[in-house]
């Protein structure tokens, strides 16, 4: 973990707020990374019994076999749970925890998209501290280190392999919930872009726009030195800081360059490399700076209707960029350039920040259409009467709202955004 504090160059007497930057313990990135580095990861963690959390689609795609190959004959015993469903309800997570407990592993491997990696994190948490996943939702409620954890993403989107979050569905209350804790960052993230090649176009599109949402929310977050964290409260998120912004910017550039290509042709390996890197960089950015209103507003939607987290975010993103525009005009103007808009450098010198920021919204909306993400809540089965309830839930997720450059003052303000997206 890097900790940084400095004098603000404009007002040298004022000490800027301290920021820090955290990641997975070790990040390995590249084609064949799992084959060449999983064994070493187990050795370094002293793992002799590993429990692998995955799903049936990945077993069928051959990714479980590829993952286990370096462990065969190595003396590392393993057991697999392959019944995770997308965005799992807490009941399925509990089932997985029970299976893991019976095996008594000394390390957990999350193999899959965010759904599987997050479940692996919850297994590592409960095996170390007991209780139930619902006991730990919210910010910084995990009391200490969890079981050693290795995450291997098979989608390019969530960044969970480096992040401090574990998301699941609180089925009784119809909402996605999240446990956020520095202890939930994996000890090892092994990112092999080849593991994403079998992703269908829809999964590529949905997870890819999730990565873009992470990066835009981190890039436009409230500044670290104005981050409104109430005294005595702890948060994994700290607002915009230079390291997170660097990574968010590169993520946005890579998504602009490669997401359409990866959706159009899943065997385009350059695009898969680019998107895998984008997702990990987006994860590094948001898991330090924070995600904000888009995520707060997606959680109730995803809990109520059948839409993936990424598609829900992609649907909402342009509407929230519009709401945020007055509070982060310059950052959004920069997003236009980062997205590689062909006109942007030519226009930059004569166009106002505001006009450029408007174009960022247009570019994201166009990208969304071109990769098949729905543009309206009514198109995904949301009825208008649900919106006030969504607004009340989103308004209550203060740990996300305070990262947003424009702080909604009431449920009604959020309701208006939902209305515009309906
Ligand atoms: N922990 C975090 O930091 C974080 C961040 C963002 C989102 N999330 C959460 O992650 C979840 C979404 O994760 P996701 O977008 O990665 O999708 P996912 O894990 O839900 O997977 C979606 C589908 O794609 C399939 N799939 C995944 N990889 C594949 C591959 N290589 N080939 C073929 N099929 C493949 C899966 O089997 C599944 O059916 C949500 O619950 C979301 O809230 C977590
Ligand atoms: Fe996300």
């Amino acid at each position: 973990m890097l900790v940084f504090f400095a004098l603000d160059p404009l007002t040298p007497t004022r000490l800027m707020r301290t920021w820090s930057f955290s990641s997975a313990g070790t990040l390995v990135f590249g084609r064949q990374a799992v084959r060449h580095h999983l064994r070493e990861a187990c050795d370094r963690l002293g793992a002799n019994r590993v429990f692998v959390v995955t799903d049936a689609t990945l077993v069928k795609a051959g990714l479980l076999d590829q993952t286990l190959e370096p462990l065969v004959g190595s003396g590392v015993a393993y057991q697999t749970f392959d019944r995770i469903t997308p965005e799992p309800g807490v009941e399925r997570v509990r089932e997985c925890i029970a299976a893991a407990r019976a095996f008594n592993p000394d390390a957990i491997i999350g193999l899959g998209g965010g759904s599987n990696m997050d479940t692996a994190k919850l297994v590592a948490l409960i095996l170390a501290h007991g209780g139930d996943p619902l006991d730990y939702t919210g910010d910084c409620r995990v009391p200490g280190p969890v079981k050693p954890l290795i995450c291997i993403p098979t989608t390019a989107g969530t960044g969970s392999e480096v992040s401090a979050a574990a998301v699941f569905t609180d089925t009784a209350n119809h909402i996605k919930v999240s446990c956020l804790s520095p202890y939930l960052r994996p000890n090892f993230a092994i990112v092999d872009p080849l593991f994403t090649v079998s992703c269908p176009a829809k999964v590529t599109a949905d997870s890819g726009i999730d990565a873009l949402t992470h990066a835009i929310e981190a890039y436009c977050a409230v500044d670290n030195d104005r981050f409104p964290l109430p005294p005595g409260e702890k948060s994994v998120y700290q607002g915009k800081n230079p390291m997170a912004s660097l990574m968010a910017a590169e993520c946005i550039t890579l998504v602009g360059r490669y997401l359409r290509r990866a959706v159009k042709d899943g065997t385009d390996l350059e695009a898969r490399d680019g998107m895998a890197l984008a997702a990990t960089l987006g994860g590094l950015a948001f898991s330090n700076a924070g995600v904000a209103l888009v995520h707060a507003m997606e959680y109730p939607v995803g809990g109520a209707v059948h839409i993936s987290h990424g598609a829900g975010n992609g649907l909402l993103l342009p509407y929230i960029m519009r709401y945020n525009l007055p509070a982060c005009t310059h950052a959004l103007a920069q997003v236009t350039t980062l997205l590689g808009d062909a006109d942007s450098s030519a226009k930059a010198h004569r166009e106002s920040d505001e006009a450029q920021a408007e174009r960022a919204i247009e570019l994201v909306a166009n990208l969304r259409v071109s990769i098949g993400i729905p543009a309206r809540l009514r198109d995904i089965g949301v009825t208008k009467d649900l919106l006030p309830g969504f607004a009340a839930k989103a308004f209550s997720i203060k740990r996300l709202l305070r990262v947003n450059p424009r702080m909604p003052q009431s449920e009604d303000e959020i309701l208006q955004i939902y209305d515009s997206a309906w």
Side-chain angles (χ1 to χ4, degrees), residues 53-197:
V53 180
T54 190
D55 67 62
T57 308
L58 301 182
V59 175
K60 215 167 151 193
L63 292 174
L64 178 66
D65 283 347
Q66 283 185 51
T67 301
L68 295 177
E69 195 192 302
L71 301 186
V72 173
S74 70
V76 177
Y78 49 80
Q79 183 164 310
T80 302
F81 184 93
D82 64 5
R83 293 194 301 115
I84 302 303
T85 46
E87 325 217 353
V90 66
E91 297 78 8
R92 186 56 57 97
V93 176
R94 288 179 186 138
E95 240 181 82
C96 182
I97 291 167
R101 190 172 274 134
F103 180 66
N104 192 26
D106 46 25
I108 316 296
I109 298 180
L111 169 69
S115 299
N116 302 356
M117 291 191 285
D118 287 5
T119 306
K121 291 179 177 186
L122 296 165
V123 170
L125 161 62
I126 303 300
L127 261 49
H129 297 289
D132 185 80
L134 287 169
D135 300 338
Y136 300 94
T137 57
D139 217 332
C140 293
R141 297 185 58 209
V142 176
V146 304
K147 283 261 178 197
L149 184 64
I150 300 170
C151 279
I152 303 172
T154 64
T155 58
T158 69
S160 177
E161 66 276 9
V162 290
S163 88
V167 186
F168 60 104
T169 306
D170 176 352
T171 11
N173 293 307
H174 306 287
I175 190 161
K176 302 282 294 292
V177 288
S178 176
C179 303
L180 274 175
S181 164
Y183 298 117
L184 293 178
R185 289 191 198 268
N187 304 77
F188 269 84
I190 309 185
V191 185
D192 182 343
L194 296 177
F195 272 39
T196 65
V197 171

Side-chain angles (χ1 to χ4, degrees), residues 251-267:
C251 171
I252 296 168
T253 301
L254 289 166
V255 171
R257 196 175 296 154
Y258 291 120
L259 180 53
R260 279 188 180 85
R261 276 174 57 176
V263 172
K264 192 164 167 232
D265 175 6
T267 64

